[in-house]
Amino acid sequence: MPRTVGIGHQDFEQMIMKNNFYIDKTMFIKEWWENDDDVTLITRPRRFGKTLNLNMTACFFSVRYAGRSDLFQSLSIWRDEKYRKLQGTYPVIFLSFAGVKETSFPDARKSICQIIKNLYNNLERAIMTGITRVSKESVFSDLNHIEVVTTTSRKV
C-alpha cells in the first residue's frame, strides 16, 4: 500500500507512527552536532520544513523519547553507533511561536521576546529557525556568537 503524503505536518513522531511519506533528513542531526556551533540560525522560506526538521531533532535528542529507537531505526542516522548512543540523552526545550495569537504586532513581539529572554542565555546549545535574520539588537543584544546559515551557505 502506498504511503500517504501529508502536507503541512510538523510532528515527526506522528509522521513516522502513521507511516506517512517522509524524506529522510536525519543526517542533519549529525551535520549540526559535528559543526559544534554554540547557536545555529537556519533561515529558509515558509513551508521549507523548518519546524518538522527541528521537531525531528528534538525527538532524537530528548530524554522524553529515550528508548524510542522505533522512530529512527529505518533512517540514516541510526546506522551510526555514536548517534544511536546519543538518542534520547538530553533535556530538550522545543518552542514554536505558531501558537502566539496576540491581536497586535507589538503584543505578539512582546510575548515572544519575553520567552526568548528567559531562555536563550541558559542553554548549552541552540538551533533557531526563521525566514529573516535575527538582529543583534534588542532581545538578542547579548547574542554575539551566533553562526548564521542561509540557503547559500556551505554549512547545513
Side-chain angles (χ1 to χ4, degrees), residues 31 35 37 40-44 133 147-156:
E31 288 179 40
N35 281 338
D37 301 325
T40 304
L41 171 64
I42 301 170
T43 59
R44 301 288 187 272
R133 284 187 175 213
E147 175 70 25
V148 178
V149 180
T150 66
T151 53
T152 58
S153 299
R154 294 192 187 268
K155 278 188 167 182
V156 185

Side-chain angles (χ1 to χ4, degrees), residues 5-155:
V5 177
I7 305 296
H9 290 290
Q10 297 180 341
D11 187 313
F12 173 77
E13 177 186 18
Q14 203 172 63
M15 284 192 73
I16 298 300
M17 297 309 293
K18 288 182 175 182
N19 199 30
N20 288 136
F21 181 76
Y22 175 74
I23 295 173
D24 186 355
K25 295 183 180 179
T26 57
M27 292 312 287
F28 165 81
I29 294 167
K30 181 177 181 175
E31 288 179 40
W32 173 72
W33 192 257
E34 291 178 3
N35 281 338
D36 200 31
D37 301 325
D38 288 335
V39 178
T40 304
L41 171 64
I42 301 170
T43 59
R44 301 288 187 272
R46 294 183 71 226
R47 314 303 311 157
F48 263 60
K50 297 180 300 290
T51 302
L52 178 59
N53 214 28
L54 289 187
N55 186 267
M56 170 207 55
T57 305
C59 287
F60 184 80
F61 285 109
S62 177
V63 293
R64 181 175 164 218
Y65 291 91
R68 292 296 311 271
S69 62
D70 60 307
L71 296 176
F72 298 95
Q73 62 192 8
S74 65
L75 302 172
S76 298
I77 193 70
W78 210 248
R79 293 183 200 131
D80 191 324
E81 177 71 26
K82 173 183 172 183
Y83 288 91
R84 285 197 300 268
K85 290 179 181 177
L86 276 176
Q87 195 273 321
T89 59
Y90 283 88
V92 172
I93 300 168
F94 179 80
L95 296 174
S96 172
F97 299 118
V100 174
K101 305 294 183 195
E102 303 294 344
T103 56
S104 70
F105 177 75
D107 289 342
R109 184 171 187 248
K110 184 177 178 180
S111 295
I112 291 169
C113 287
Q114 191 57 50
I115 292 167
I116 293 170
K117 277 184 178 182
N118 291 338
L119 287 176
Y120 85 88
N121 279 327
N122 298 309
L123 300 175
E124 179 182 342
R125 284 188 174 186
I127 302 175
M128 297 176 3
T129 67
I131 57 172
T132 59
R133 284 187 175 213
V134 172
S135 172
K136 291 185 181 180
E137 291 88 37
S138 72
V139 69
F140 295 105
S141 60
D142 295 334
L143 191 59
N144 58 8
H145 57 280
I146 193 166
E147 175 70 25
V148 178
V149 180
T150 66
T151 53
T152 58
S153 299
R154 294 192 187 268
K155 278 188 167 182

